[in-house]
């Protein structure tokens, strides 16, 4: 089991680390080859341009071993009701055929469900399947998600995997 995530401000990283704590999954942070600016206004300009132009930012880390993985958590901040374009880069770069994906996102105001139609198309095109999703804005939400499904993720017994 694996957790792959992108975090610009550290909020999604904290969520990913909490998922790791509860599941024992390996953790991989996606990083862009060209670092996003820390200035909020500059970041907005770049991120909106990427979305409008359907850009795929290059990944700095391109050696993620997915061969033995069947279940992958994918985490990201929600930007304008959808995933950052670097998440699309991940799905288009790696062989994700027959992988089960659990999506989680962080956002001040947008639940993960708002962007599901967009990201499900990306996941499906990669040959994977979204099996669940949750908004990961707090440790409580994350724990509730894991416990409510009685997922024994340490042994990939989630949903019969």
């Amino acid at each position: 089991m694996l957790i792959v995530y992108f975090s610009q401000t550290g909020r999604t990283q904290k969520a990913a680390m909490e998922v790791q704590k509860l599941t024992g999954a390996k953790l991989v942070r996606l990083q862009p080859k060209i670092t996003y600016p820390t200035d909020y206004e500059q970041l907005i300009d770049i991120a909106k341009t990427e979305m409008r132009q359907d850009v795929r930012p290059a990944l700095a880390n391109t050696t993620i071993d997915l061969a033995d993985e069947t279940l992958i958590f994918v985490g990201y901040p929600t930007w304008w009701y959808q995933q950052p374009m670097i998440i699309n880069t991940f799905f288009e770069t790696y062989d994700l055929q027959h992988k089960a994906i659990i999506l989680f996102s962080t956002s001040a105001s947008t639940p993960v469900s708002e962007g599901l139609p967009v990201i499900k198309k990306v996941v499906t095109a990669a040959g994977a399947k979204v099996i669940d999703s949750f908004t990961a804005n707090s440790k409580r939400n994350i724990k509730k998600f894991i416990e409510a499904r009685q997922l024994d993720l340490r042994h990939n017994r989630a949903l019969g995997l």
Side-chain angles (χ1 to χ4, degrees):
M1 184 178 9
L2 184 66
I3 302 160
V4 175
Y5 73 96
F6 167 71
S7 184
Q8 176 64 20
T9 64
R11 186 174 187 191
T12 305
Q13 181 174 17
K14 286 179 186 174
M17 293 172 77
E18 186 65 17
V19 172
Q20 180 188 38
K21 179 178 140 187
L22 295 169
T23 64
K26 294 175 275 184
L27 194 61
V28 175
R29 181 177 184 167
L30 296 176
Q31 296 186 358
K33 193 173 236 179
I34 299 172
T35 306
Y36 287 111
T38 55
D39 178 80
Y40 183 71
E41 294 302 320
Q42 290 176 344
L43 174 63
I44 286 174
D45 289 343
I46 290 170
K48 282 187 176 181
T49 298
E50 286 179 354
M51 286 182 182
R52 271 194 312 272
Q53 296 178 0
D54 204 24
V55 171
R56 299 298 184 267
L59 295 170
N61 51 336
T62 56
T63 56
I64 303 170
D65 183 9
L66 302 175
D68 295 330
E69 304 300 338
T70 55
L71 177 63
I72 303 170
F73 284 83
V74 177
Y76 51 89
T78 299
W79 291 353
W80 302 282
Y81 306 101
Q82 70 180 59
Q83 72 281 1
M85 299 308 282
I86 195 168
I87 296 298
N88 295 16
T89 304
F90 167 72
F91 280 106
E92 293 172 5
T93 300
Y94 289 93
D95 180 5
L96 293 158
Q97 291 290 317
H98 312 295
K99 306 292 185 190
I101 307 294
I102 297 177
L103 301 168
F104 66 94
S105 73
T106 57
S107 173
S109 60
T110 307
V112 70
S113 59
E114 289 285 324
L116 281 179
V118 174
I119 194 165
K120 278 186 174 181
K121 288 178 186 176
V122 175
V123 173
T124 301
K129 182 178 181 182
V130 175
I131 61 170
D132 217 335
S133 62
F134 64 101
T135 302
N137 286 338
S138 69
K139 288 181 179 183
R140 184 173 165 260
N141 284 2
I142 297 165
K143 187 174 182 180
K144 184 177 177 181
F145 173 84
I146 301 291
E147 289 179 352
R149 283 149 187 84
Q150 298 178 339
L151 300 177
D152 187 355
L153 297 172
R154 291 180 193 269
H155 299 97
N156 273 350
R157 285 189 274 232
L159 305 169
L161 297 174

